[in-house]
Amino acid sequence: MAIAMMSAGTAADIYGRRKLYLAGIALFTAASAACGLAPFLEMLNLARAVQGLAAATVNVTSLALVSGAFPDPKLKAWAIGIWTAIASTAIAIGPTLGGLMVQQTGWRSIFMVNVPVGLVVLALTWSFVTESRDERPRTFDIPGQLLFMTTVGALAFAVIEGPQAGWRSREILTLFVIAGAALAAFIFCERRSADPMMDLMLFRDRTYSLAIITIFAVLFGTYGMLLVITQYLQNVRAFSPTDAGLLLFPFSASLMIVSLTAGKLVGVVGSRRLILLGIASQIVGFAVLIAALQASTVVVSAGLVFVGVGAGLCLTPITSLAMTAVPPERAGMAPGIMSVQRALGSTVGFAVLGSI
């Protein structure tokens, strides 16, 4: 998923965002069915890889379509708030709903449930969503795409395998070196490209750069926390998957409610205050969780509320900032950059906190 984000954004700008979105949903639906029917682990892993490619396409093109449909900045912030709330809620309820489904109907059901949802989304998109693309002549930056995939692929693989192989092992150190060398080559190529995949001039804007870094940090903490708390509730406190999922519901609910509200607040109080308040709320939530792990699950739930509120307050204004900083004709590039940070932040959070 991580390596395909920017390629999906470029393809959406060139060939049409609606067209790529429909293709992504269709492929994700088919891959989900293949996961649910997989007779052995290798088949499941292959289908999961296809899911990742499709998910990257859907993630990037959906946000580009929403952004293009609302050119007014205040309406765009509100619409992005709804998009963020839906995306965040879908991710947040995964542990709750997934735990219930696994316990009641088996692990295959968590994949098969995507099939009817995908079919409904295809029908709705075909009926109501209009096409948009970059009308300028564009080229597919092949060197940039390949170098970016090498950078992100080597980094993601290193942080995923690091806890098992050992952070100082030859394999992991080699992957980090490859990622660094590919990143340097990527920057060199993009600066000299007439039509770069990623406009590096964006990162000269300090607000935009800090927004991208903050996305990474917020999701690093949030996803790392979810991994640790899920393992803690089931393996330390011996709760069933269903009960553990229900105990995570305060996080899911607070994240959903605040994300919806934050979209409207961006136009009133601006992004900066909301982001600062969100980060502060997350810090309080993590501190409560540290203190509560040896105490009551009620206090753990209170900590999860603070973390959910913080994530909701941060992600909507940050997403709005990232989308408004890019010209409308490059609307596929903006969510691509942001989605890469989301994917890397969650991946690194899982790997590092899981390793610790």
Side-chain angles (χ1 to χ4, degrees), residues 6 25 46 69 79 90 128 202 208 221 235 261 279 310 318:
M6 290 303 302
I25 290 291
L46 178 61
F128 296 107
L202 281 173
Y208 181 81
N235 298 336
T261 307
I279 294 173
I318 291 172

Side-chain angles (χ1 to χ4, degrees), residues 1-6 52-53 56 148-149 152-153 156 336 339-340 343-344 347:
M1 183 175 177
I3 68 169
M5 291 288 190
M6 290 303 302
L53 295 173
F148 180 83
M149 289 181 174
V152 176
S339 297
V340 168
L344 288 178
T347 301

Side-chain angles (χ1 to χ4, degrees), residues 6 190 196-203 327 330 333 337:
M6 290 303 302
E190 294 300 278
M197 175 192 71
M198 184 184 293
D199 186 358
L200 299 179
M201 296 294 288
L202 281 173
F203 295 98
R330 299 300 297 272
M333 181 183 69
I337 297 173

